[in-house]
Amino acid sequence: MTKNQAPPLSKSRRAGNLLFLSGQLARGADGAIVDGDIRIQTRQVLANIEAVLAGEGATLADVVKVTAWITDLSDMEGFNEVYRAVMPEPFPARSTVFCELAAGKVEIEVLAVLE
C-alpha cells in the first residue's frame, strides 16, 4: 500500500439494524495520531467513534459490544478512567486485548444496534 492510498475498508457497515464500525485509532482531523498518553488517545478514539456513529444516526448509547486493543497493560487504569467517563451505562459488553498496533496506543471497534 502506498503512503497516500487509503486501506481497503469501510468505516462502518449496516446489516439490518446492526451497525459495525471498523477499528478507530486516535487520529486527529489532520489524520495523524494525536500526541499524548492513553487518556488523550482514548478520548480521541471515542470522539472518532461518536462521529462515525452520528453519521449513521446513532450514538454511544446504541453500542452493545466493544473490542479494544491496547499496547501496554499498565495503561489499563487510564483507559478505563476515560472509557467510564465517556461511555453511557449500561456499559456495552467488552473485550480488551493487549497487542502491538500499527499506530497509537489504543484501537477500538464497536457494534451498535439501531432502532
Side-chain angles (χ1 to χ4, degrees), residues 57-75:
T59 70
L60 290 173
D62 298 310
V63 173
V64 296
K65 175 68 171 89
V66 170
T67 304
W69 293 268
I70 298 174
T71 60
D72 189 339
L73 179 60
S74 67
D75 282 336

Side-chain angles (χ1 to χ4, degrees), residues 27-79:
R27 295 194 188 281
D30 63 357
I33 298 294
V34 298
D35 287 331
D37 66 9
I38 191 69
R39 288 170 180 85
I40 290 168
Q41 289 200 8
T42 301
R43 278 188 194 92
Q44 182 66 53
V45 171
L46 292 172
N48 293 347
I49 288 170
E50 280 187 287
V52 175
L53 288 169
E56 296 287 346
T59 70
L60 290 173
D62 298 310
V63 173
V64 296
K65 175 68 171 89
V66 170
T67 304
W69 293 268
I70 298 174
T71 60
D72 189 339
L73 179 60
S74 67
D75 282 336
M76 193 67 186
E77 182 179 338
F79 171 81

